[in-house]
Amino acid sequence: MEYIEICKNDYNVFHELANAYYREGEDEKTPQDEIDAFIRFMFDKVVNNEINGFFAKEESGYIGFALWAIDTEDFAFSEIPGFGTILEIGLLPSRRASGIGKEFVSFIEKCLTSKNVKQCYVSAYVPAQEFWMRCGYVVNGKKANNGLPIMIKTIQ
């Protein structure tokens, strides 16, 4: 597996992967123009260095993406300043349930620990919470601004 930082020329690849991710589950009924606007919004945050983004790539091509950041009080999605946060992680459906997602999470956690971050959080829809629990995250009893439960993990 190779992890490649998302760059300004990668919009088409990012859109393809993110669209496949958002078209499933909780967002499947969201109008396409809203999905496209959100994908552009997140991509611009990566390009402007407000959040970090990586692709997961195998020999066959790109299979997923992840977005993460270090939370600060002025961070747009701030929930727990000082913690790392994994904002999104999405794999192509054909590559799920293979251990790749867990490996990708581990890669992001290593990126965060290299920046002296000791704790990380996610806010996840119910279907994804089992995945996050398998990665060592636990519900802390609080809800994020989006109404989803916050799950935390010590990563030091």
Side-chain angles (χ1 to χ4, degrees):
M1 183 67 54
E2 183 179 6
Y3 301 107
I4 302 167
E5 197 165 3
I6 298 172
C7 299
K8 66 180 179 179
N9 295 327
D10 293 331
Y11 180 75
N12 290 338
V13 173
F14 180 74
H15 184 276
E16 181 180 334
L17 291 167
N19 190 59
Y21 171 71
Y22 291 124
R23 280 281 134 231
E24 292 189 37
E26 302 292 332
D27 297 306
E28 68 184 347
K29 294 179 182 168
T30 303
Q32 187 63 46
D33 60 332
E34 289 180 33
I35 296 284
D36 290 341
F38 185 71
I39 291 170
R40 172 51 77 177
F41 171 78
M42 295 305 282
F43 182 79
D44 289 345
K45 294 247 179 240
V46 172
V47 171
N48 293 325
N49 296 313
E50 295 174 50
I51 61 176
N52 301 282
F54 282 87
F55 292 123
K57 186 178 181 187
E58 294 180 320
E59 279 187 34
S60 61
Y62 294 98
I63 62 164
F65 72 98
L67 305 175
W68 60 275
I70 299 173
D71 195 338
T72 61
E73 288 189 22
D74 61 344
F75 180 54
F77 308 104
S78 183
E79 299 290 349
I80 310 175
F83 278 50
T85 179
I86 301 173
L87 299 163
E88 301 284 0
I89 184 164
L91 293 175
L92 294 175
S94 64
R95 302 307 294 138
R96 295 182 191 155
S98 64
I100 292 171
K102 196 170 180 181
E103 184 182 313
F104 207 176
V105 169
S106 180
F107 168 77
I108 296 164
E109 291 171 350
K110 286 176 185 164
C111 291
L112 287 163
T113 58
S114 75
K115 297 182 180 298
N116 298 316
V117 173
K118 294 176 175 35
Q119 292 183 296
C120 188
Y121 73 90
V122 298
S123 61
Y125 288 104
V126 172
Q129 288 176 18
E130 188 176 312
F131 166 77
W132 290 107
M133 284 188 249
R134 286 192 308 270
C135 292
Y137 288 76
V138 296
V139 176
N140 76 344
K142 297 182 181 178
K143 294 199 182 264
N145 292 325
N146 61 11
L148 299 174
I150 294 176
M151 301 177 77
I152 61 171
K153 178 181 178 183
T154 299
I155 58 172
Q156 56 186 3

